[in-house]
Amino acid sequence: MGDLQSLRVFISCLDQQSLPRILQICSGVYFQGSIYELSGSEVCLSTGDLVKVIGLELLSVSCEEIETGASFELPTEYPGHFSLVPEDLPYNTIEEIVGLCPVGVDACGSFTFICQNELTIDNFTLPAGKQLTLLSVEVARNGERLARCQVVGQNMASAEILLPMALRGEFYECQSDRGYSLQEIMASSRLSSRHFRNTAEKNSGSVLIFSPMYEISAIMHMRKNVVKFPSSLEVDVEDVTDQFQDLVFITPLSMTEVATQPVESFPTMAEIIDGPEGNQFFNCSWFQELQRGRHLVLHSRGTTTMILASTPKGRKGKQYFIISKSYGGRMRRRAREFGSVYELYLASSQFPGLKVSVTHHCEAVEEEGMPALSVGDQLEVLGKVLMNGPGDKSGAAQKVECLICKRTTEVVDDEDDEDEEEDSEEISLPLFMAGNFVENLSDNKKYKLTDLISSTLPLDVKVVTRDKALEKDPLMGLPALKLEETFTETTVLTSLPNQPDRCFELPVRWLQMSLCFTSDHLPWSEAPERHVETVTEVTEKFYYEYHKLVCKIEEPPPRPPKRKPSTSAVPKKSSKSESKSSKLRSAVTKQLDNLSLGQTKGKRAPAPPPPEDTPDQPPPLLPRKSSSIAETNLTSVHNTYVKSPTVAHKSEQRLSDSDHDYESIEDAITNPHESLFY
């Protein structure tokens, strides 16, 4: 059992090579109570608690001046150097020097000392006051340990002598010119407890002592996660490693760490410490069992080949599955449906010689090079070519990617309806052309999943025979299933203790949860025959996150070429004209809403008299597109300020031929009201 000392002192003098160490909390002054919220972990240090220190990380170094008591922080990467201050206490034997050498005997020429009295070794006498530099420790043939030292004589001549460890004397450490970096000082438990001066200040500098500030990673007894706290906590600890060597501390493991455990660790029992809360990747029964505190049986770990599959969108929406390669159901290939020529091109690039049937009529568009297709036409994809398409505005021909297909149609002989002939021709279909096609399949064979994934994916299939190893096969009864691609996952084969034979595979990459191995007994006397769930339903989020992870980017379909403008087309109204026309109609509507035959208040003012300087010209009229309104105005009583209806009509016809493409109905509706007033 170790001595009682503060946590700061214990960690400063601790050799990290001796980790892990078990400490017992004996006493201390707690700030903010006895509970610390540090690094997101709640740490409660009470008297009697056991803490297993498993790691240290140097955060900073506190530097204190001995004379003044001032202290300041230094970063761990401080570039300056410091010289070691010799101690005043004497060493009594050479063995004591070797044992307390501040940097170890492996650092040649790092420790220099003198002897205050004369030394006699065999027939050699060493005068008092001679400086000796410790070089190394050697073992003689008789097993005696000797210290090899260097002594400097007259005219700087040097010699090496061997001093026995039991040699006694009054030895004192000498000042060394060697400088130590902050990293070297903190890495040595002997150096970190010594005094230093800054090499830039030489002997006039202040004496310094360094106190490292560490972040301690530890496992606390009866806690299931690693906690981190600083070494500056004012608590007293005692090293009880030897007393509690057999004490088992629970170690939390992530799913990745579980999958890297030795094969001999399985099967074993485990307890869930933190469940995958908030995980939205799985939509299966076993995922609901992964709750905190639940026990699991871990059978083995390994890698599994899986297939990503999806269904067409139906009443329940689109469904997604990951299917293990060992799935035992049987499937038939299903004819694929295509909604465009571009989809035909993608499929034919994976399956050369693709044959399809046309399921909807398509009319020909000669301007864009699209031929007519009839229901029942048989197409065989031959290849893709680059052809001349319709010209652009400048008249230059555009290059269009087309799919060359062999079209076969059945021709019925009029003389004998029973005799049918086939007529074939080659046609070119632009990739941007829409259409409806279905794949021609004559294959009615039942396949295993392993046989299907050996060919090129994707494939459309239908499960016709369920996997008998499953209690309920979720793929059975689906109208269609698209096998998209294969991938490999690291998995942990798991089961629940009440059903140890019903196993499921936990994908390590998609489950953020932590477990701890327990010493509970396995729930069987003899290992049962295992039945593995080979189908796992996943969510849409999993589907899209998977594609983000693999960075699979599909090429978008090409844009169709611009159509050549037709000369017979009527030019479209400009947005400016439409805006002006809508404003005018809005103003007329407001005027009509304010008019009433019996209205006296707010009565409209009479029209102003015509200008005197232009007595023969009528007021300007807005153009109209239709002459029907103008003819109606001629039959009504005209405004007295309009000199002649004939002139007005001619003016309307003249203005209607102008460039304006909007019409005004204000005058057409106002004139009948004016006739009533006048």
Side-chain angles (χ1 to χ4, degrees):
M1 185 173 291
D3 298 329
L4 187 66
Q5 53 188 322
S6 68
L7 178 64
R8 180 196 294 268
V9 174
F10 176 81
I11 295 298
S12 299
C13 302
L14 178 64
D15 183 8
Q16 297 193 30
Q17 300 297 325
S18 66
L19 293 179
R21 307 296 297 179
I22 300 176
L23 307 181
Q24 187 172 31
I25 307 299
C26 297
S27 62
V29 179
Y30 303 110
F31 62 90
Q32 297 179 356
S34 60
I35 298 177
Y36 306 96
E37 275 290 338
L38 303 170
S39 302
S41 301
E42 182 184 276
V43 182
C44 178
L45 300 179
S46 303
T47 302
D49 284 352
L50 296 176
V51 178
K52 185 177 184 179
V53 179
I54 60 175
L56 299 175
E57 181 181 356
L58 184 62
L59 300 179
S60 62
V61 179
S62 175
C63 183
E64 181 182 355
E65 295 182 356
I66 301 298
E67 292 84 354
T68 63
S71 62
F72 49 90
E73 295 287 330
L74 291 178
T76 56
E77 57 274 0
Y78 179 74
H81 286 75
F82 304 90
S83 60
L84 188 64
V85 176
E87 291 184 343
D88 296 333
L89 297 177
Y91 297 89
N92 297 319
T93 62
I94 297 296
E95 187 174 9
E96 187 176 350
I97 292 177
V98 172
L100 298 178
C101 183
V103 292
V105 296
D106 56 338
C108 297
S110 60
F111 187 77
T112 304
F113 60 97
I114 62 172
C115 184
Q116 296 288 12
N117 55 313
E118 186 178 80
L119 296 177
T120 302
I121 304 102
D122 295 334
N123 297 326
F124 177 76
T125 301
L126 183 67
K130 284 291 184 180
Q131 288 191 359
L132 298 169
T133 301
L134 179 64
L135 298 180
S136 61
V137 174
E138 299 179 2
V139 180
R141 292 182 178 179
N142 58 0
E144 183 183 6
R145 296 175 70 235
L146 302 172
R148 179 176 292 276
C149 298
Q150 184 184 50
V151 59
V152 179
Q154 295 180 353
N155 299 325
M156 300 301 293
S158 62
E160 293 182 2
I161 59 174
L162 294 174
L163 302 180
M165 291 291 181
L167 183 64
R168 301 187 65 85
E170 189 177 352
F171 305 101
Y172 288 90
E173 182 181 0
C174 296
Q175 177 68 50
S176 174
D177 295 333
R178 178 181 175 182
Y180 299 93
S181 66
L182 195 61
Q183 290 85 353
E184 289 177 323
I185 296 173
M186 292 297 101
S188 172
S189 59
R190 295 177 180 178
L191 282 176
S192 60
S193 60
R194 296 291 300 272
H195 294 176
F196 292 86
R197 280 193 177 94
N198 196 329
T199 54
E201 300 177 0
K202 298 184 179 179
N203 294 334
S204 60
S206 300
V207 178
L208 306 174
I209 185 170
F210 299 110
S211 298
M213 177 72 71
Y214 289 98
E215 184 182 58
I216 303 173
S217 298
I219 301 174
M220 299 184 66
H221 188 50
M222 300 304 293
R223 287 184 63 95
K224 298 182 179 180
N225 56 339
V226 176
V227 296
K228 296 183 179 182
F229 52 90
S231 60
S232 59
L233 294 183
E234 296 295 335
V235 294
D236 294 333
V237 297
E238 186 178 4
D239 191 348
V240 292
T241 305
D242 297 334
Q243 183 180 355
F244 293 96
Q245 286 183 353
D246 298 331
L247 182 64
V248 177
F249 284 84
I250 297 176
T251 304
L253 300 172
S254 65
M255 288 301 300
T256 304
E257 293 170 334
V258 171
T260 57
Q261 295 299 308
V263 179
E264 297 77 18
S265 303
F266 301 94
T268 184
M269 297 294 295
E271 181 182 351
I272 300 177
I273 299 175
D274 294 315
E277 298 178 0
N279 188 300
Q280 302 175 2
F281 292 146
F282 300 95
N283 189 21
C284 51
S285 58
W286 56 257
F287 181 71
Q288 307 301 326
E289 303 292 339
L290 303 181
Q291 303 295 331
R292 182 175 183 178
R294 191 70 185 264
H295 287 78
L296 301 174
V297 183
L298 307 183
H299 295 267
S300 62
R301 49 89 173 169
T303 56
T304 306
T305 301
M306 295 184 172
I307 298 91
L308 182 65
S310 62
T311 63
K313 191 172 182 180
R315 294 181 181 179
K316 296 182 179 180
K318 204 168 182 180
Q319 292 179 276
Y320 305 92
F321 301 92
I322 50 176
I323 309 172
S324 176
K325 185 179 179 181
S326 58
Y327 176 75
R330 296 292 188 270
M331 305 175 180
R332 280 198 181 103
R333 288 193 57 186
R334 186 175 179 271
R336 292 172 291 175
E337 297 180 0
F338 308 99
S340 66
V341 177
Y342 181 74
E343 294 180 13
L344 283 181
Y345 161 68
L346 292 179
S348 63
S349 62
Q350 298 175 349
F351 296 93
L354 178 66
K355 296 182 180 181
V356 296
S357 298
V358 179
T359 58
H360 286 75
H361 289 287
C362 293
E363 296 183 358
V365 182
E366 297 180 359
E367 294 83 358
E368 298 184 358
M370 295 192 299
L373 297 176
S374 301
V375 175
D377 286 354
Q378 307 294 316
L379 302 180
E380 181 182 355
V381 180
L382 302 179
K384 187 186 73 168
V385 295
L386 198 63
M387 303 181 65
N388 292 329
D392 54 12
K393 292 183 179 180
S394 62
Q398 293 180 332
K399 295 293 184 180
V400 179
E401 291 181 315
C402 295
L403 205 62
I404 302 300
C405 299
K406 178 181 178 182
R407 177 168 63 179
T408 304
T409 57
E410 294 182 353
V411 180
V412 180
D413 191 356
D414 295 338
E415 297 179 358
D416 188 0
D417 294 343
E418 295 181 357
D419 295 337
E420 296 181 357
E421 298 179 358
E422 291 186 351
D423 184 17
S424 62
E425 61 175 335
E426 287 190 4
I427 59 174
S428 61
L429 305 177
L431 291 190
F432 60 82
M433 178 178 175
N436 297 91
F437 312 95
V438 64
E439 185 179 12
N440 292 338
L441 283 181
S442 58
D443 184 7
N444 201 29
K445 182 181 176 182
K446 294 180 181 179
Y447 290 93
K448 295 180 180 179
L449 183 61
T450 52
D451 298 333
L452 291 175
I453 63 175
S454 60
S455 59
T456 306
L457 297 181
L459 284 176
D460 287 359
V461 298
K462 179 179 175 59
V463 177
V464 293
T465 304
R466 73 177 186 89
D467 187 351
K468 297 180 180 179
L470 302 178
E471 290 184 358
K472 183 179 180 181
D473 190 344
L475 304 182
M476 191 65 189
L478 295 176
L481 189 66
K482 184 177 184 180
L483 306 179
E484 299 193 12
E485 55 187 298
T486 61
F487 59 98
T488 303
E489 281 290 337
T490 302
T491 58
V492 178
L493 189 62
T494 310
S495 67
L496 300 176
N498 57 344
Q499 290 182 321
D501 59 327
R502 293 293 173 181
C503 302
F504 46 88
E505 294 174 314
L506 298 180
V508 170
R509 181 168 48 165
W510 301 97
L511 286 174
Q512 300 297 326
M513 57 184 293
S514 58
L515 308 173
C516 67
F517 290 172
T518 65
S519 57
D520 298 341
H521 295 289
L522 294 170
W524 61 69
S525 56
E526 184 179 351
E529 182 181 357
R530 296 179 297 195
H531 303 279
V532 183
E533 288 192 25
T534 53
V535 181
T536 302
E537 185 174 359
V538 294
T539 61
E540 186 178 22
K541 182 177 179 64
F542 175 94
Y543 182 80
Y544 289 108
E545 287 295 328
Y546 168 79
H547 285 292
K548 286 182 184 179
L549 191 64
V550 299
C551 299
K552 185 177 181 180
I553 302 176
E554 294 185 357
E555 181 184 359
R559 291 183 177 181
K562 296 181 179 180
R563 296 187 179 184
K564 191 174 182 180
S566 177
T567 56
S568 60
V570 180
K572 193 176 180 181
K573 292 183 180 181
S574 65
S575 59
K576 185 176 179 181
S577 301
E578 292 177 355
S579 176
K580 189 172 181 181
S581 177
S582 62
K583 291 180 180 179
L584 184 58
R585 292 191 182 96
S586 177
V588 173
T589 304
K590 290 181 179 180
Q591 291 181 9
L592 291 178
D593 292 340
N594 294 331
L595 289 178
S596 177
L597 293 177
Q599 210 173 10
T600 56
K601 185 178 180 180
K603 186 176 180 181
R604 63 177 289 176
E612 295 181 357
D613 52 347
T614 56
D616 296 334
Q617 294 183 2
L621 298 177
L622 294 175
R624 301 169 183 143
K625 284 188 176 181
S626 176
S627 61
S628 60
I629 300 179
E631 293 173 357
T632 305
N633 292 342
L634 294 178
T635 59
S636 62
V637 180
H638 61 275
N639 194 331
T640 55
Y641 291 98
V642 180
K643 188 170 183 179
S644 172
T646 306
V647 176
H649 182 60
K650 291 181 179 180
S651 177
E652 292 170 10
Q653 291 179 343
R654 183 176 64 255
L655 292 175
S656 63
D657 297 333
S658 66
D659 295 335
H660 296 289
D661 59 349
Y662 59 86
E663 61 180 349
S664 174
I665 62 173
E666 183 179 6
D667 295 332
I669 300 178
T670 304
N671 286 339
H673 284 282
E674 292 176 349
S675 64
L676 292 175
F677 279 112
Y678 290 97

